Amino acid sequence: MRVQVVDHPLVAHKVSVLRDKNTASPTFRQLTEELVTLLAYEATREVKTEEVEVVTPVATTTGIAFAKPTPLVVPILRAGLGMLEGMTRLVPTAEVGFLGMARNDETLDIITYADRVPNDLQGRQVFVLDPMLATGGTLAEAIKFIFERGAASVTCICLIAAPEGIERLREIHGEDERVHLVLAALDERLDEKAYIIPGLGDAGDRLYGVTPPMH
């Protein structure tokens, strides 16, 4: 597994504003989209391409286009939705799937409650969007899920990660070069409640507000 922390002043600046507890949801959403576009630029360096003929106003030349099958972008519900616009702005021709995953509080197992991902991912490059990599449980299950459907590679784009989450993914995927993790920041640790420190709070709540549970 390859881990890349994007080292760029614009990335660092936007992360700092996201961390600020006084940053309002509209600003948080906008900055998240901008940040993901910057991360996506790095994450897509190895996207598969092919040569195509391009007719300009003055001549014919050779250009580059995405090879088939095109990349698939998969946000993890719900917080990953806040990253989707920033990703598709850079890769507008990519297809989009959705995964909803949650932890069972009793068994601690990860349960898939929403699946809008093609059954056949043979040869596909898949980009998974999830703002926070804390314990690594959800992301590990998402990667497993996608590889079981035949994906060629999985690139995970996260805003913030904790060392514990990265270690968990390493335990599972080791030196597997098909797994690539692209981060805006690597934080210090998890606290006793599995919150990332210093982190930025609950990304879903800060993107969309607090949604009361249904009864």
Side-chain angles (χ1 to χ4, degrees), residues 47-95:
V47 70
K48 296 176 183 176
T49 60
E50 59 186 9
E51 292 186 349
V52 294
E53 183 180 274
V54 179
V55 180
T56 79
V58 294
T60 299
T61 186
T62 300
I64 292 294
F66 287 147
K68 300 293 185 179
T70 54
L72 178 71
V73 178
V74 180
I76 305 296
L77 303 177
R78 74 177 163 140
L81 285 175
M83 304 171 70
L84 182 58
E85 183 68 26
M87 184 73 185
T88 55
R89 183 180 294 123
L90 193 69
V91 194
T93 58
E95 293 183 15

Side-chain angles (χ1 to χ4, degrees), residues 23 39 42 50 53 101 103 131 135 138 191 207-208 215:
T23 298
L39 297 179
E42 293 295 333
E50 59 186 9
E53 183 180 274
M101 292 183 159
R103 187 176 67 179
T135 64
T138 300
D191 67 9
L207 281 163
Y208 304 117
H215 297 287

Side-chain angles (χ1 to χ4, degrees), residues 48 121-126 147 150-154 178:
K48 296 176 183 176
L121 295 177
Q122 197 66 39
R124 300 287 291 269
Q125 291 176 297
V126 180
F147 275 140
S153 66
V154 179
R178 299 177 302 160

Side-chain angles (χ1 to χ4, degrees), residues 2-212:
R2 295 172 292 152
V3 178
Q4 178 183 4
V5 182
V6 177
D7 181 16
H8 192 286
L10 280 176
V11 171
H13 167 70
K14 292 178 191 299
V15 169
S16 296
V17 181
L18 286 181
R19 292 190 193 278
D20 190 335
K21 67 179 183 180
N22 295 314
T23 298
S25 284
T27 304
F28 194 95
R29 285 194 294 269
Q30 179 183 340
L31 285 171
T32 296
E33 291 179 7
E34 294 172 358
L35 191 50
V36 172
T37 299
L38 293 172
L39 297 179
Y41 179 80
E42 293 295 333
T44 55
R45 281 188 180 275
E46 296 176 6
V47 70
K48 296 176 183 176
T49 60
E50 59 186 9
E51 292 186 349
V52 294
E53 183 180 274
V54 179
V55 180
T56 79
V58 294
T60 299
T61 186
T62 300
I64 292 294
F66 287 147
K68 300 293 185 179
T70 54
L72 178 71
V73 178
V74 180
I76 305 296
L77 303 177
R78 74 177 163 140
L81 285 175
M83 304 171 70
L84 182 58
E85 183 68 26
M87 184 73 185
T88 55
R89 183 180 294 123
L90 193 69
V91 194
T93 58
E95 293 183 15
V96 178
F98 299 92
L99 265 181
M101 292 183 159
R103 187 176 67 179
N104 184 307
D105 290 333
E106 294 181 2
T107 66
L108 302 183
D109 293 331
I110 303 297
I111 299 171
T112 301
Y113 65 85
D115 168 14
R116 293 295 182 271
V117 175
N119 288 326
D120 183 7
L121 295 177
Q122 197 66 39
R124 300 287 291 269
Q125 291 176 297
V126 180
F127 294 86
V128 175
L129 309 179
D130 199 4
M132 313 291 283
L133 172 56
T135 64
T138 300
L139 203 54
E141 196 64 27
I143 294 170
K144 176 185 174 185
F145 181 97
I146 290 166
F147 275 140
E148 286 177 347
R149 296 197 174 180
S153 66
V154 179
T155 299
C156 304
I157 300 177
C158 303
L159 304 183
I160 306 288
E164 293 89 338
I166 292 177
E167 184 58 32
R168 179 166 183 174
L169 294 183
R170 283 197 189 281
E171 289 173 359
I172 298 171
H173 298 288
E175 300 303 315
D176 191 344
E177 291 290 312
R178 299 177 302 160
V179 181
H180 186 196
L181 182 61
V182 180
L183 310 172
L186 176 57
D187 278 12
E188 296 173 12
R189 59 183 174 86
L190 295 178
D191 67 9
E192 63 280 359
K193 295 182 179 179
Y195 283 110
I196 300 176
I197 302 298
L200 46 76
D202 186 297
D205 287 350
R206 297 198 65 188
L207 281 163
Y208 304 117
V210 179
T211 304

